[in-house]
Coordinates of all heavy atoms in Angstrom, one line a residue:
D1466 N -15.5 -6.4 26.1 CA -16.1 -7.6 25.6 C -15.7 -8.8 26.4 O -16.1 -10.0 26.0 CB -15.8 -7.9 24.1 CG -14.4 -8.3 23.9 OD1 -13.5 -8.2 24.8 OD2 -14.0 -8.8 22.7
G1467 N -15.0 -8.6 27.5 CA -14.6 -9.7 28.4 C -13.2 -10.2 28.1 O -12.6 -10.9 28.9
S1468 N -12.6 -10.0 27.0 CA -11.3 -10.6 26.6 C -10.3 -10.0 27.5 O -9.3 -10.8 27.8 CB -11.1 -10.4 25.1 OG -11.1 -9.0 24.7
V1469 N -10.2 -8.7 27.7 CA -9.3 -8.1 28.5 C -9.1 -8.7 29.9 O -8.0 -9.1 30.3 CB -9.4 -6.6 28.6 CG1 -8.4 -6.0 29.5 CG2 -9.5 -5.9 27.2
E1470 N -10.2 -8.9 30.5 CA -10.3 -9.5 31.9 C -9.6 -10.9 31.8 O -9.0 -11.4 32.8 CB -11.6 -9.5 32.4 CG -12.2 -8.1 32.7 CD -11.3 -7.3 33.7 OE1 -10.7 -7.9 34.7 OE2 -10.9 -6.1 33.3
E1471 N -10.0 -11.7 30.8 CA -9.5 -13.1 30.6 C -8.0 -13.0 30.5 O -7.3 -13.8 31.2 CB -10.1 -13.7 29.4 CG -11.5 -14.1 29.6 CD -12.2 -14.7 28.3 OE1 -11.4 -15.2 27.4 OE2 -13.4 -14.7 28.2
F1472 N -7.4 -12.2 29.7 CA -6.0 -12.0 29.6 C -5.3 -11.6 30.9 O -4.2 -12.2 31.3 CB -5.6 -11.1 28.4 CG -5.6 -11.8 27.1 CD1 -6.6 -11.7 26.2 CD2 -4.4 -12.4 26.7 CE1 -6.6 -12.4 25.0 CE2 -4.4 -13.1 25.4 CZ -5.4 -13.0 24.6
L1473 N -5.9 -10.6 31.6 CA -5.4 -10.3 32.8 C -5.2 -11.3 33.9 O -4.2 -11.5 34.6 CB -6.1 -8.9 33.4 CG -6.0 -7.7 32.6 CD1 -7.0 -6.6 33.1 CD2 -4.7 -7.1 32.5
K1474 N -6.4 -12.0 34.0 CA -6.4 -13.3 34.8 C -5.3 -14.2 34.5 O -4.6 -14.7 35.4 CB -7.7 -13.8 34.8 CG -8.1 -15.1 35.8 CD -9.4 -15.6 35.6 CE -9.5 -16.8 36.6 NZ -10.8 -17.5 36.5
K1475 N -5.2 -14.5 33.3 CA -4.2 -15.5 32.8 C -2.8 -15.0 33.1 O -2.0 -15.8 33.6 CB -4.4 -15.9 31.4 CG -3.4 -16.9 30.8 CD -3.6 -17.1 29.3 CE -2.5 -18.1 28.9 NZ -2.6 -18.3 27.3
E1476 N -2.6 -13.8 32.9 CA -1.2 -13.2 33.0 C -0.7 -13.1 34.5 O 0.2 -13.5 34.8 CB -1.1 -11.8 32.5 CG -1.1 -11.8 31.0 CD -1.0 -10.4 30.4 OE1 -0.9 -9.5 31.1 OE2 -0.9 -10.3 29.1
K1477 N -1.9 -12.9 35.4 CA -1.6 -13.0 36.8 C -1.2 -14.4 37.2 O -0.4 -14.6 38.1 CB -2.8 -12.4 37.6 CG -2.6 -12.3 39.1 CD -3.8 -11.7 39.7 CE -3.5 -11.5 41.3 NZ -4.6 -10.8 41.9
E1478 N -2.0 -15.4 36.8 CA -1.8 -16.8 37.1 C -0.4 -17.3 36.6 O 0.3 -17.9 37.3 CB -2.8 -17.7 36.4 CG -4.2 -17.5 37.0 CD -5.3 -18.2 36.3 OE1 -5.0 -18.7 35.2 OE2 -6.4 -18.2 36.8
L1479 N 0.0 -16.8 35.4 CA 1.4 -17.1 34.9 C 2.5 -16.5 35.6 O 3.7 -16.9 35.6 CB 1.5 -16.8 33.4 CG 0.6 -17.7 32.5 CD1 0.7 -17.0 31.0 CD2 1.1 -19.0 32.5
G1480 N 2.2 -15.3 36.2 CA 3.3 -14.5 37.0 C 3.9 -13.5 36.0 O 5.1 -13.2 36.2
V1481 N 3.3 -13.2 34.9 CA 3.9 -12.3 33.9 C 4.4 -11.0 34.5 O 5.3 -10.4 33.9 CB 2.8 -12.0 32.7 CG1 3.4 -11.1 31.7 CG2 2.6 -13.4 32.0
T1482 N 3.8 -10.5 35.6 CA 4.0 -9.2 36.1 C 5.1 -9.3 37.3 O 5.4 -8.4 38.0 CB 2.7 -8.5 36.8 OG1 2.3 -9.4 37.7 CG2 1.8 -8.3 35.6
E1483 N 5.8 -10.6 37.3 CA 6.9 -10.7 38.3 C 8.1 -11.2 37.5 O 8.0 -11.9 36.5 CB 6.5 -11.9 39.3 CG 5.1 -11.6 40.0 CD 5.3 -10.4 41.0 OE1 6.4 -10.2 41.4 OE2 4.2 -9.7 41.3
I1484 N 9.3 -10.8 38.0 CA 10.5 -11.1 37.4 C 10.8 -12.7 37.3 O 11.4 -13.1 36.4 CB 11.7 -10.4 38.1 CG1 13.0 -10.5 37.4 CG2 11.9 -10.9 39.6 CD1 13.0 -9.9 36.0
G1485 N 10.2 -13.4 38.2 CA 10.4 -14.8 38.2 C 9.9 -15.5 36.8 O 10.5 -16.6 36.5
F1486 N 9.0 -14.9 36.3 CA 8.5 -15.5 35.0 C 9.6 -15.6 33.9 O 9.6 -16.3 33.1 CB 7.2 -14.7 34.5 CG 6.7 -15.2 33.2 CD1 6.0 -16.3 33.1 CD2 6.9 -14.4 32.1 CE1 5.5 -16.8 31.8 CE2 6.4 -14.8 30.8 CZ 5.7 -16.0 30.7
Y1487 N 10.5 -14.6 34.0 CA 11.5 -14.5 32.9 C 12.9 -15.1 33.3 O 13.8 -15.0 32.5 CB 11.7 -13.0 32.7 CG 10.4 -12.2 32.4 CD1 9.7 -11.6 33.5 CD2 9.9 -12.2 31.2 CE1 8.5 -11.0 33.2 CE2 8.6 -11.6 30.8 CZ 8.0 -10.9 31.9 OH 6.8 -10.3 31.6
E1488 N 13.0 -15.6 34.5 CA 14.4 -16.0 35.0 C 15.0 -17.2 34.3 O 16.2 -17.2 34.1 CB 14.3 -16.2 36.5 CG 14.2 -15.0 37.3 CD 14.1 -15.3 38.8 OE1 13.8 -16.4 39.2 OE2 14.4 -14.3 39.6
A1489 N 14.2 -18.0 33.7 CA 14.7 -19.2 33.0 C 14.9 -18.9 31.5 O 15.5 -19.7 30.8 CB 13.7 -20.4 33.2
F1490 N 14.6 -17.7 31.1 CA 14.7 -17.3 29.7 C 16.1 -17.4 29.2 O 16.5 -17.9 28.1 CB 14.0 -16.0 29.3 CG 13.9 -15.7 27.9 CD1 13.4 -16.4 27.0 CD2 14.5 -14.5 27.5 CE1 13.3 -16.0 25.6 CE2 14.4 -14.0 26.2 CZ 13.8 -14.8 25.2
G1491 N 17.0 -16.8 29.9 CA 18.3 -16.6 29.5 C 19.0 -18.1 29.3 O 19.7 -18.2 28.3
A1492 N 18.7 -19.0 30.2 CA 19.2 -20.3 30.1 C 18.7 -21.0 28.8 O 19.5 -21.7 28.1 CB 18.9 -21.1 31.3
K1493 N 17.4 -20.8 28.5 CA 16.9 -21.4 27.3 C 17.6 -20.9 26.0 O 17.8 -21.6 25.0 CB 15.4 -21.1 27.3 CG 14.6 -22.0 28.3 CD 13.0 -21.4 28.3 CE 12.4 -21.7 27.0 NZ 10.9 -21.4 27.2
V1494 N 17.8 -19.5 26.0 CA 18.4 -18.9 24.9 C 19.9 -19.4 24.6 O 20.3 -19.8 23.5 CB 18.5 -17.4 25.0 CG1 19.2 -16.7 24.0 CG2 17.0 -16.8 25.1
R1495 N 20.6 -19.5 25.7 CA 22.0 -20.0 25.6 C 22.0 -21.5 25.2 O 22.8 -21.9 24.4 CB 22.7 -19.8 27.0 CG 23.0 -18.4 27.3 CD 23.9 -18.2 28.5 NE 23.1 -18.6 29.7 CZ 22.3 -17.6 30.4 NH1 22.2 -16.3 30.0 NH2 21.6 -18.0 31.5
A1496 N 21.0 -22.3 25.6 CA 21.0 -23.7 25.2 C 20.6 -23.6 23.7 O 21.2 -24.6 22.9 CB 19.8 -24.4 25.9
L1497 N 19.8 -22.8 23.1 CA 19.5 -22.8 21.7 C 20.8 -22.5 21.0 O 21.1 -23.1 19.9 CB 18.3 -21.8 21.4 CG 17.8 -21.7 20.1 CD1 16.3 -21.2 20.1 CD2 18.6 -20.9 19.1
R1498 N 21.5 -21.5 21.4 CA 22.7 -21.0 20.8 C 23.7 -22.3 20.7 O 24.3 -22.5 19.6 CB 23.4 -19.8 21.5 CG 24.7 -19.5 21.0 CD 25.4 -18.5 22.0 NE 25.7 -19.3 23.2 CZ 26.1 -18.8 24.4 NH1 26.2 -17.4 24.5 NH2 26.3 -19.5 25.5
D1499 N 23.9 -22.9 21.8 CA 24.8 -24.1 21.8 C 24.3 -25.1 20.9 O 25.2 -25.8 20.1 CB 24.9 -24.6 23.3 CG 25.5 -23.6 24.2 OD1 26.1 -22.6 23.8 OD2 25.4 -23.8 25.5
A1500 N 23.1 -25.4 20.8 CA 22.6 -26.5 19.9 C 22.8 -26.1 18.5 O 23.2 -26.9 17.7 CB 21.0 -26.7 20.2
M1501 N 22.6 -24.8 18.1 CA 22.8 -24.5 16.8 C 24.3 -24.5 16.4 O 24.6 -25.0 15.4 CB 22.3 -22.9 16.6 CG 20.9 -22.7 16.5 SD 20.1 -23.4 14.9 CE 20.8 -22.1 13.8
Q1502 N 25.2 -24.1 17.3 CA 26.6 -24.2 17.0 C 27.1 -25.6 16.9 O 27.8 -25.9 15.9 CB 27.4 -23.5 18.2 CG 27.2 -22.0 18.2 CD 27.9 -21.4 19.5 OE1 28.0 -22.2 20.5 NE2 28.1 -20.1 19.5
Q1503 N 26.6 -26.4 17.7 CA 27.0 -27.9 17.6 C 26.5 -28.6 16.4 O 27.2 -29.4 15.7 CB 26.5 -28.6 18.9 CG 27.2 -28.2 20.2 CD 26.5 -28.6 21.3 OE1 25.5 -29.5 21.4 NE2 26.8 -28.2 22.6
F1504 N 25.3 -28.2 16.0 CA 24.7 -28.8 14.8 C 25.4 -28.5 13.6 O 25.9 -29.1 12.7 CB 23.3 -28.3 14.6 CG 22.5 -29.0 13.4 CD1 21.8 -30.2 13.6 CD2 22.5 -28.4 12.1 CE1 21.2 -30.7 12.4 CE2 21.9 -28.9 11.1 CZ 21.3 -30.2 11.2
V1505 N 25.8 -27.2 13.4 CA 26.5 -26.6 12.2 C 27.9 -27.1 12.3 O 28.4 -27.6 11.1 CB 26.5 -25.0 12.3 CG1 27.3 -24.6 11.2 CG2 25.1 -24.5 12.0
A1506 N 28.6 -27.2 13.4 CA 29.9 -27.7 13.3 C 30.0 -29.1 13.0 O 30.8 -29.5 12.2 CB 30.5 -27.4 14.8
A1507 N 29.0 -29.9 13.5 CA 29.0 -31.4 13.2 C 28.8 -31.7 11.7 O 29.5 -32.4 11.0 CB 28.0 -32.1 14.0
K1508 N 27.9 -31.0 11.1 CA 27.6 -31.1 9.7 C 28.7 -30.6 8.8 O 29.0 -31.2 7.8 CB 26.3 -30.4 9.3 CG 25.1 -31.0 10.1 CD 24.8 -32.4 9.7 CE 23.5 -33.1 10.3 NZ 23.4 -34.5 10.0
Q1509 N 29.4 -29.4 9.2 CA 30.4 -28.9 8.5 C 31.6 -29.9 8.5 O 32.3 -30.1 7.5 CB 30.8 -27.6 9.0 CG 30.0 -26.4 8.4 CD 30.6 -25.1 8.6 OE1 31.2 -24.7 9.7 NE2 30.5 -24.2 7.6
A1510 N 31.8 -30.7 9.6 CA 32.8 -31.6 9.7 C 32.6 -32.8 8.8 O 33.5 -33.5 8.3 CB 32.9 -32.1 11.1
E1511 N 31.3 -33.0 8.3 CA 30.9 -33.9 7.4 C 31.0 -33.5 6.0 O 30.6 -34.1 4.9 CB 29.5 -34.5 7.6 CG 29.3 -35.2 9.0 CD 27.8 -35.5 9.2 OE1 27.0 -35.2 8.3 OE2 27.5 -35.9 10.3
G1512 N 31.4 -32.2 5.7 CA 31.5 -31.5 4.5 C 30.2 -30.9 4.0 O 30.1 -30.5 2.8
K1513 N 29.2 -30.8 4.9 CA 28.0 -30.1 4.4 C 28.2 -28.6 4.3 O 28.9 -27.9 5.1 CB 26.9 -30.5 5.4 CG 26.7 -31.9 5.6 CD 26.3 -32.7 4.4 CE 25.9 -34.1 4.6 NZ 25.5 -34.9 3.5
R1514 N 27.4 -28.0 3.4 CA 27.4 -26.6 3.1 C 26.1 -25.9 3.8 O 25.0 -26.6 3.7 CB 27.6 -26.2 1.7 CG 28.8 -26.8 1.2 CD 28.9 -26.7 -0.4 NE 28.5 -25.4 -0.9 CZ 27.4 -25.2 -1.7 NH1 26.8 -26.2 -2.2 NH2 27.1 -24.0 -2.1
F1515 N 26.2 -24.7 4.1 CA 25.1 -24.0 4.7 C 24.9 -22.6 4.1 O 25.9 -21.9 3.8 CB 25.4 -23.7 6.3 CG 25.1 -24.8 7.1 CD1 26.1 -25.8 7.3 CD2 24.0 -25.0 7.8 CE1 25.9 -26.9 8.2 CE2 23.7 -26.2 8.7 CZ 24.7 -27.1 8.8
A1516 N 23.6 -22.3 3.9 CA 23.2 -20.9 3.5 C 22.0 -20.6 4.5 O 21.8 -21.2 5.4 CB 22.7 -20.9 2.1
A1517 N 21.4 -19.4 4.2 CA 20.3 -19.0 5.0 C 19.3 -18.3 4.1 O 19.6 -17.7 3.1 CB 20.8 -17.9 6.1
Y1518 N 18.0 -18.3 4.5 CA 16.9 -17.7 3.9 C 16.5 -16.6 4.7 O 16.0 -16.8 5.9 CB 15.8 -18.7 3.5 CG 14.8 -18.2 2.5 CD1 14.7 -18.6 1.2 CD2 13.9 -17.1 2.9 CE1 13.8 -18.1 0.3 CE2 13.1 -16.6 2.0 CZ 12.9 -17.1 0.7 OH 12.1 -16.6 -0.2
G1519 N 16.3 -15.3 4.1 CA 15.5 -14.3 4.7 C 16.5 -13.3 5.5 O 17.0 -13.6 6.5
A1520 N 16.8 -12.2 4.8 CA 17.7 -11.1 5.4 C 16.9 -10.3 6.4 O 16.8 -9.1 6.3 CB 18.3 -10.3 4.3
A1521 N 16.2 -10.9 7.3 CA 15.2 -10.2 8.3 C 16.1 -9.7 9.5 O 17.2 -10.2 9.7 CB 14.2 -11.2 8.7
A1522 N 15.5 -8.6 10.1 CA 16.2 -8.2 11.3 C 16.4 -9.3 12.3 O 17.6 -9.4 12.9 CB 15.4 -7.1 12.0
K1523 N 15.4 -10.2 12.6 CA 15.6 -11.3 13.5 C 16.7 -12.2 13.1 O 17.4 -12.7 13.9 CB 14.3 -12.1 13.7 CG 13.9 -12.7 12.5 CD 12.8 -13.8 12.8 CE 11.5 -13.2 13.5 NZ 10.7 -12.3 12.7
G1524 N 16.9 -12.3 11.7 CA 18.1 -13.1 11.2 C 19.4 -12.6 11.6 O 20.3 -13.4 11.8

Side-chain angles (χ1 to χ4, degrees):
D1466 72 347
S1468 59
V1469 175
E1470 292 305 317
E1471 289 180 15
F1472 272 97
L1473 292 174
K1474 180 182 177 183
K1475 181 182 177 184
E1476 289 181 358
K1477 187 174 182 180
E1478 291 171 351
L1479 290 172
V1481 171
T1482 57
E1483 305 292 335
I1484 187 64
F1486 177 75
Y1487 307 93
E1488 286 177 340
F1490 184 56
K1493 287 172 65 177
V1494 171
R1495 289 185 288 274
L1497 186 155
R1498 177 195 61 194
D1499 294 347
M1501 284 287 289
Q1502 290 174 341
Q1503 291 164 12
F1504 183 92
V1505 173
K1508 294 299 180 181
Q1509 282 195 314
E1511 298 172 5
K1513 304 297 185 183
R1514 298 167 50 231
F1515 282 80
Y1518 191 107
K1523 62 165 60 72

